[in-house]
Amino acid sequence: VIEKTKKGYSAYSPDILGCVATGRTKQDVENNMYDAIRFHLEGLKKGLQELRYFHQKASGLGGKSQAEALLQKAKPASWM
C-alpha cells in the first residue's frame, strides 16, 4: 500500500507486519519497498522462520498473498 505524505510517499505491506518504506517519489518508495520485502523475506529464510500472512490470500492472485504477487510481478533485474 502506497500513501502520499507531506514530504513524499510511504508504503507498507498488510501481509508483512513491520515491513515499511519511504521515498521522495512514488518510484523511490516502490523501489525501497521491494528492497524492504526482499530483506524481510531473506531474514526469515536465514532464521528458518515461516512467513505468517495476516490477510487471506487473494483468489485473483493465484492463491498468493499480495506480497508474493508483488515480488513475482516486479522483480528488479538486480535481484536476479
Side-chain angles (χ1 to χ4, degrees), residues 6-38:
K6 289 181 182 180
K7 295 184 178 184
Y9 292 86
S10 65
Y12 66 93
S13 172
D15 284 332
I16 306 173
L17 295 182
C19 193
V20 299
T22 61
R24 288 186 182 176
T25 67
K26 192 173 180 181
Q27 185 64 50
D28 286 343
V29 79
E30 286 178 4
N31 291 337
N32 293 341
M33 192 62 190
Y34 294 137
D35 290 341
I37 291 171
R38 183 182 71 178

Side-chain angles (χ1 to χ4, degrees), residues 42-54:
E42 287 174 357
L44 290 174
K45 285 181 185 177
K46 287 181 182 178
L48 300 175
Q49 299 175 18
E50 290 185 26
L51 179 60
R52 295 183 182 160
Y53 297 107
F54 295 95

